[in-house]
Amino acid sequence: MSSNSGESSSKIPKTKSANQTNRDVDIAVKLALLILLLTILSRFFAIVNAGKRGVLMHLYLAV
């Protein structure tokens, strides 16, 4: 007689622990925020073609 108990237990998918899932969500949120921050910061830069002048504009608020 052979026992199939070891074989059947390997077919059961292992689930992640709550701690691992929270860590995965934390990493995903941080990555999304980093991409958003880099996207916003990249809007401050522009390529100025050769022979053209770049103009720096300041916004002065009256107090």
Side-chain angles (χ1 to χ4, degrees):
M1 283 197 282
S2 65
S3 173
N4 290 336
S5 63
E7 185 179 322
S8 64
S9 66
S10 65
K11 292 181 182 179
I12 299 172
K14 295 182 179 180
T15 58
K16 291 183 178 181
S17 67
N19 191 19
Q20 178 66 31
T21 304
N22 288 341
R23 192 175 338 151
D24 290 345
V25 170
D26 188 42
I27 290 171
V29 168
K30 286 180 181 178
L31 183 61
L33 288 174
L34 178 65
I35 291 171
L36 179 65
L37 179 67
L38 290 175
T39 302
I40 291 170
L41 289 176
S42 69
R43 301 292 305 208
F44 291 107
F45 298 96
I47 297 174
V48 179
N49 294 325
K52 302 291 181 179
R53 287 186 266 176
V55 178
L56 177 64
M57 300 180 75
H58 293 278
L59 176 63
Y60 295 104
L61 299 175
V63 179

